Each structure stands twice: as structure tokens, then as C-alpha cells.
Amino acid sequence: MSLLVIGTVAFDAIETPFGKTDKIVGGAATYIGLSASYFTDSINLVSVVGADFPADAIDMLHQHKINTDGLEIKQDGKTFFWSGKYHNDMNSRDTIDTQLNVLLDFDPKVPEQHSNPDFLMLGNLMPSLQRKVIEQLPKRPKLIVMDTMNFWMDIAMEELLQTIAMVDVLTINDAEARQLSGEYSLVKAAAKILMMGPKYLIIKKGEHGALLFNNKSVFFAPALPLEDVFDPTGAGDTFAGGFIGYLAKSKDISFDSMKRAIIFGSAMASFCVEKFGTENLLHLEQSAIDARVQEFIDLVQFDISLV
Amino acid sequence: MSLLVIGTVAFDAIETPFGKTDKIVGGAATYIGLSASYFTDSINLVSVVGADFPADAIDMLHQHKINTDGLEIKQDGKTFFWSGKYHNDMNSRDTIDTQLNVLLDFDPKVPEQHSNPDFLMLGNLMPSLQRKVIEQLPKRPKLIVMDTMNFWMDIAMEELLQTIAMVDVLTINDAEARQLSGEYSLVKAAAKILMMGPKYLIIKKGEHGALLFNNKSVFFAPALPLEDVFDPTGAGDTFAGGFIGYLAKSKDISFDSMKRAIIFGSAMASFCVEKFGTENLLHLEQSAIDARVQEFIDLVQFDISLV
């Protein structure tokens, strides 16, 4: 099953209570692609970088069998740059610098040979660009998953709602679910958001786990309690990459399969936050991923027989 | 299996975004006792009230088969009173008024006929009083569970540590676990707290669920996502009452049994917050409790076979 990923490929400079990095390779599509690469090897990327983007970073993507035919390299532009500093609780951060650079006039083009994906992952990006990608596909994918954020709710709500109406699964965090729906209760928020078009909603609660809703059921997966969280950057994208990667691998998009996909996505996110940037996603063994998933099973399983 | 409960019996006046109450019957021991009464009918209470405490409230306890031989009624005193107002997010509250009244010189006395309990639940109270109850028992109970709060960490840390060292299970919330241990990571906090004496630690995270630690394992139970939380007052005590009530009923204090006890405790707490005060704990059917527990099973169960 082929997976098309659209999103940013970027430079990040990150500071956390545990240290700081120089410019390192990041961006939603990078985390999504790396995470998904542990589940499927038919991944095609649509994104844009500048002439300053290093060849060895592109090599790194290729090593993870991520096809970069759709990665536009603007010779006269610079790569999108974000710099942020996390507070002591790791749950909030300040943006120090944002340089949109080549993102400013990004016009995503899906290469014809990749325009028939089975799965489409729309990483966080201007909603009109996400929609443009959907509209370039001659046939609707089996599943479209969309990530977005509060920023677009603030400045482009109408476009956002248009795009949301076109997707199958929406992933947002708890504050965003409340903002999008105007409801404080996440149960009520989910009911409203599912009326906007998506059949499934994933509400990410960071260290407090994630909820999956459809119009009949709800599923909850915790985050793994970790000794240390070094850097939360990319955790949500890594989660999404594991989620859609697992679904693409399993070829099963039932609610039960999505539950499993959320556990695998959560396991991948738990690796991501243990080191800076993408570092911990570069060389994972399948056995380490399985052991991490087993930790989730042990964490939540209990045995009650109601008589 | 007999259960001895010590804690406050009180009047509360509560305001939430959904409404407000006049003085209603509350207090840690009330919530603990009511919740436990759905699991075991051998419950003995040690607490104190004033002459203003209504006879029909004591009747209500008796109807739940809670023995009040140990409930001291001070004819010249007034019942402990607390008044609070919850903020819109329901996760934080302001105390409007606290009148300790008969609690000021409370000297808990365990009636001799109840001094050999199988299970002891120490509701939140001055740690020296909690210890005094343990010391009155000629034989150590099978299991001692202790609840406490940040207030005692602020003003009576030494006494608190003394009492904590004597119990089997400590229940506190996430902020309290961080304060008690000086560690932000809950995994590290738990490791430190388990060195202080208890064999088990339960960290309550409110709407984000609860964690159970021993020195080998960790278990996580979510809170049930609810359409509306009307009044969180007593939710932690109701959780504790369901937890220890279930253990007393099952006669099994293994880690696996404690996992089940946490699910039953969480189910009881989910009833508690749906109405004001103790209202929703007064007339529950066993079938409703079982249905609620089934919702927890459905919420977290998934099926992954690792190959």
C-alpha cells in the first residue's frame, strides 16, 4: 500500500531544559515519513526546501525508503526555519523565530507517478494547500488523514473547515478540539467535529495520551510514562506517521485496526521524545518497537469478568 | 473482610459553572464509605461531627451499612465546614471558607469492637491523626491505604513522612507526587516515593486518569470521557472508597487485583462527578456499576499480537 505524505521539511533549532541544538533537520513531513518508514516502504514525499538543504539529509530520507521525487528544491530559496524553547514542564513552548522562506510561495505538486496513493497523510500546513493536494489526485485514496493546528483556526477557519470536510481522520490536540468546536467537554467537542465531515477524530493529549472517536465508539491510549522527556518536538507528527504507516501496512482501516495503529503511533512518539529532534527515529530495530508496544499492553491491560 | 475508614464527615457548600448548593453533607470519610458500601457491608467509620449534624444524614450512612459507633458527636461543637468554587475548567478551585470547628481538637478513637479491621483506609487528615489510628490497632491490618494532600506537605512534612512510612498504598495527585519527591517525571517521582515506605503508589491525574506503581510495574487507568462533569468534589475519595472496597470484597491484594480495584474506583468516581456532592452515590444499582466498568473495558481494550 503506497503512502503519500505532504508537509514541511525544515530546519529546527530547539532548546529544552536538557540542552539545545544547532539547526537540525525537522519538519512535519520528515517526522511523519521517518516514523511511517518502520511500517511501509512505499512512501512518497511532497514538500519544498531551499538550496541550503544538505544532500546528506536527503540521503537519510532515501535510506528510509522515502521517495523524494516530490521534494522541490528551490535553488534561489532558503529552507523553512523554526526555533523554539520549551518551558520546564515540557508542555508549553515559546517560538523564538520563524522564517517561512520557501514555504511562503509553496505550491505543492504531486508527481504524476505518485498521484494514485492508497493512503494520504496531510501534515500540518496551510489548509488550502492540503486541499490542493487532495484535488490533484485523480482517484480518492482509501484513507485521508489530516493534521492541523490552532494557528489555522485563528486566521483561516473557513478554508480549514473546507479541507476538514474532505478527510477521513482529523488529528488535533485537546485545546484545538475545544477551539474548533466551542465545547469544553471533549466528548461534546468530538461529536461536533465529527459533524464537520471526518469519520474519525483523534484528540492528542500529549503526556496524557490520545483519544480516538467515531460516531459510535471511543478508544483511549495512554502515553508511556517515561523517566525523561528530552524534546517533545515532532512527537505529534511521529505519532501520525506511525498511525498511518501501521494502517498502510495492515491494509485494514476498521476501528479495531485504528486502535492498534494508535498504540503503534504512541510507541513511535515515545521514542521520538527520548532524544533531540529526529535522532531516535533514525536507527530503530523492529524488536525495540515491539518491546515498546508490549510496554503499552502491560501498562493498560487488566482482566475483569463481569458476572 | 472488614474495612475501617477514618476521615472527615463535613458540610460542603459548592459552586460550579453548573450551579451551586447550600450546605450539603460531604467529607472524605462520607465519600469513601458510600463508595465502598457498593462492595462490602462491613464498614466502620471513625470521625467527628457537631450537634448540628442531621440525624437523617446518619440514617443515610446506616442505610449503606456503614457502622457509626466510631462517629463522635460533639454536643458543644459544630461540624467541619468547607465552601469552594470551581473554575470553568473544573480542574482548579478556590476555597471560599473553611471552618474546622470540631476538627480542631479531634482525637480519633477506634471503638474496641472495630479495632481489628482487615483493611484500613486513612482518608485525608492531619498525618499525626492518621498515625494515631494505626497505633490504636492491636494487629496490623492486611492492607493500609492512605490519602493525603499538598497542605500537609507544606506544614507538616516530617509527620507526613512518618505516617507514609507505615502504610502499604499511598494515593496522591500528580502535583503532590512532584512536590513530595522533588521530581517532575512521574516515573522518577514514583521511584523516590516508593523508597519512603509504601509498597504501592497511586498517582491520581483527575480527568487524565490514574497510575499505579510498585517497584516492578506500572498500570494506567484512564478517566472515562464524560459529556459533562458537574462537580468534582469527592471524586478522589470516591475513587479510594471503590478501590479499597473492591479489594476488601475480593480478598485479593495482588497487583492484578489492584488493577481491577482501580478500574472499579474510577467507575465509582465517574458516577460521583455527574451530580452534585454525594447525590449520585446514594442509589446506584449493581447493573449500572457493571455497565460503567464495561465502558472502561471498551475504552482501553485493543488486540495486538506481536510476532
Side-chain angles (χ1 to χ4, degrees):
Chain A
M1 290 272 163
S2 64
L3 168 61
L4 183 67
V5 177
I6 176 168
T8 54
V9 172
F11 287 128
D12 292 339
I14 303 160
E15 184 170 349
T16 83
F18 298 99
K20 59 193 289 186
T21 68
D22 290 328
K23 274 189 180 182
I24 56 174
V25 172
T30 307
Y31 285 98
I32 292 166
L34 286 175
S35 182
S37 76
Y38 290 93
F39 301 93
T40 175
D41 56 8
S42 176
I43 304 175
N44 300 297
L45 189 66
V46 171
S47 190
V48 64
V49 291
D52 56 346
F53 198 71
D56 61 0
I58 294 179
D59 276 353
M60 179 273 286
L61 295 173
H62 292 164
Q63 277 158 26
H64 283 85
K65 296 186 183 134
I66 298 168
N67 181 297
T68 58
D69 292 351
L71 178 64
E72 189 183 351
I73 301 176
K74 288 213 171 176
Q75 293 306 334
D76 58 347
K78 286 177 69 184
T79 301
F80 169 48
F81 172 70
W82 175 82
S83 166
K85 181 176 174 172
Y86 287 86
H87 301 164
N88 279 332
D89 69 359
M90 288 290 204
N91 282 323
S92 52
R93 67 186 184 192
D94 294 324
T95 290
I96 309 287
D97 193 7
T98 305
Q99 297 171 18
L100 289 175
N101 297 333
V102 294
L103 268 192
L104 265 175
D105 54 359
F106 179 38
D107 184 23
K109 288 191 188 66
V110 180
E112 202 185 332
Q113 67 274 27
H114 304 314
S115 65
N116 205 0
D118 299 298
F119 289 79
L120 172 62
M121 177 71 223
L122 302 167
N124 173 46
L125 207 64
M126 196 185 302
S128 58
L129 296 186
Q130 293 176 315
R131 181 165 51 104
K132 212 162 174 178
V133 168
I134 301 175
E135 289 170 347
Q136 283 176 58
L137 308 182
K139 208 181 90 203
R140 196 180 190 284
K142 199 172 153 84
L143 193 80
I144 303 177
V145 180
M146 172 190 182
D147 186 41
T148 189
M149 68 183 294
N150 54 350
F151 182 70
W152 309 115
M153 299 174 194
D154 294 336
I155 67 159
M157 185 59 113
E158 202 172 318
E159 284 180 0
L160 178 63
L161 291 173
Q162 252 187 304
T163 308
I164 285 177
M166 301 169 80
V167 308
D168 300 299
V169 184
L170 178 67
T171 74
I172 46 180
N173 72 27
D174 43 357
E176 290 157 352
R178 288 173 172 137
Q179 180 174 351
L180 184 58
S181 65
E183 293 285 348
Y184 185 80
S185 154
L186 294 180
V187 175
K188 289 185 176 175
K192 274 200 181 176
I193 293 169
L194 291 174
M195 305 273 282
M196 298 175 187
K199 288 186 279 294
Y200 304 92
L201 172 68
I202 295 173
I203 299 181
K204 299 171 289 182
K205 305 201 296 171
E207 63 165 323
H208 300 303
L211 288 158
L212 167 68
F213 292 91
N214 69 2
N215 60 12
K216 285 200 305 276
S217 305
V218 54
F219 172 68
F220 174 82
L224 207 62
L226 295 171
E227 290 235 347
D228 287 305
V229 171
F230 265 82
D231 173 17
T233 309
D237 297 315
T238 303
F239 169 84
F243 175 77
I244 201 162
Y246 176 85
L247 292 177
K249 179 187 182 186
S250 72
K251 305 183 183 69
D252 176 356
I253 56 171
S254 67
F255 195 77
D256 278 341
S257 181
M258 285 192 188
K259 290 181 181 184
R260 292 187 282 269
I262 282 188
I263 297 295
F264 277 94
S266 300
M268 296 306 294
S270 76
F271 285 115
C272 174
V273 302
E274 286 180 322
K275 295 198 178 165
F276 272 107
T278 59
E279 189 183 342
N280 216 19
L281 299 178
L282 297 182
H283 307 289
L284 284 173
E285 300 285 340
Q286 186 59 46
S287 59
I289 297 172
D290 286 352
R292 194 55 66 95
V293 167
Q294 186 62 49
E295 285 189 60
F296 277 88
I297 296 172
D298 295 341
L299 180 64
V300 299
Q301 83 175 359
F302 60 86
D303 177 27
I304 289 180
S305 324
L306 295 166
V307 284
Chain B
M1 291 272 163
S2 64
L3 167 63
L4 183 66
V5 177
I6 175 167
T8 54
V9 173
F11 286 129
D12 293 337
I14 303 158
E15 184 171 348
T16 81
F18 297 100
K20 58 194 290 186
T21 68
D22 290 328
K23 274 188 180 183
I24 56 173
V25 172
T30 308
Y31 284 99
I32 292 166
L34 286 175
S35 182
S37 75
Y38 290 94
F39 301 93
T40 175
D41 55 9
S42 177
I43 303 176
N44 301 297
L45 189 67
V46 171
S47 190
V48 62
V49 292
D52 56 346
F53 198 72
D56 60 0
I58 294 178
D59 278 352
M60 180 272 286
L61 295 172
H62 292 164
Q63 279 158 26
H64 283 87
K65 296 185 183 134
I66 299 168
N67 182 297
T68 59
D69 291 352
L71 178 65
E72 188 183 352
I73 301 176
K74 290 215 170 172
Q75 292 306 331
D76 57 348
K78 286 177 71 182
T79 302
F80 169 49
F81 172 69
W82 175 81
S83 166
K85 181 176 173 174
Y86 287 86
H87 301 163
N88 279 333
D89 68 359
M90 288 290 203
N91 281 325
S92 52
R93 65 187 186 191
D94 293 325
T95 290
I96 309 287
D97 194 5
T98 305
Q99 298 172 18
L100 288 176
N101 298 332
V102 294
L103 269 193
L104 265 175
D105 54 359
F106 178 38
D107 184 23
K109 289 193 187 64
V110 180
E112 202 186 333
Q113 67 275 27
H114 304 316
S115 67
N116 204 2
D118 299 298
F119 288 80
L120 173 61
M121 176 72 224
L122 303 168
N124 173 46
L125 207 62
M126 198 183 303
S128 58
L129 297 185
Q130 293 177 315
R131 182 165 51 106
K132 214 164 173 176
V133 168
I134 300 174
E135 289 170 348
Q136 284 176 58
L137 308 182
K139 207 182 91 205
R140 196 179 190 287
K142 199 173 153 82
L143 192 80
I144 304 177
V145 180
M146 172 190 183
D147 186 42
T148 189
M149 69 183 293
N150 53 349
F151 182 68
W152 309 115
M153 298 175 194
D154 295 335
I155 68 159
M157 184 61 112
E158 204 172 316
E159 285 180 359
L160 178 63
L161 291 174
Q162 253 187 304
T163 308
I164 285 177
M166 302 169 77
V167 308
D168 301 300
V169 184
L170 177 67
T171 73
I172 47 180
N173 72 28
D174 43 355
E176 289 157 354
R178 287 173 173 141
Q179 181 174 352
L180 184 59
S181 65
E183 293 284 349
Y184 186 81
S185 153
L186 295 179
V187 175
K188 288 185 176 176
K192 274 200 179 174
I193 293 168
L194 290 173
M195 305 272 282
M196 298 175 186
K199 287 187 281 295
Y200 304 91
L201 171 69
I202 295 173
I203 299 181
K204 299 171 288 184
K205 305 200 296 171
E207 63 164 325
H208 299 303
L211 288 158
L212 167 68
F213 292 90
N214 69 3
N215 59 13
K216 285 201 305 277
S217 304
V218 52
F219 172 66
F220 174 83
L224 208 61
L226 294 171
E227 290 235 346
D228 286 305
V229 171
F230 265 83
D231 173 18
T233 309
D237 298 314
T238 303
F239 170 84
F243 176 77
I244 200 162
Y246 176 84
L247 292 177
K249 178 186 182 185
S250 72
K251 305 181 183 71
D252 176 356
I253 57 170
S254 66
F255 196 77
D256 278 342
S257 181
M258 286 193 188
K259 290 181 181 184
R260 291 187 282 269
I262 282 189
I263 297 294
F264 277 93
S266 300
M268 296 306 294
S270 77
F271 285 116
C272 175
V273 302
E274 288 180 321
K275 293 195 180 169
F276 272 108
T278 60
E279 189 182 343
N280 216 21
L281 300 177
L282 298 181
H283 308 289
L284 283 173
E285 302 285 342
Q286 186 60 47
S287 59
I289 296 171
D290 287 353
R292 194 55 66 97
V293 167
Q294 186 62 50
E295 285 188 60
F296 277 89
I297 296 172
D298 295 341
L299 181 63
V300 300
Q301 84 175 358
F302 60 87
D303 177 28
I304 289 180
S305 325
L306 296 166
V307 284

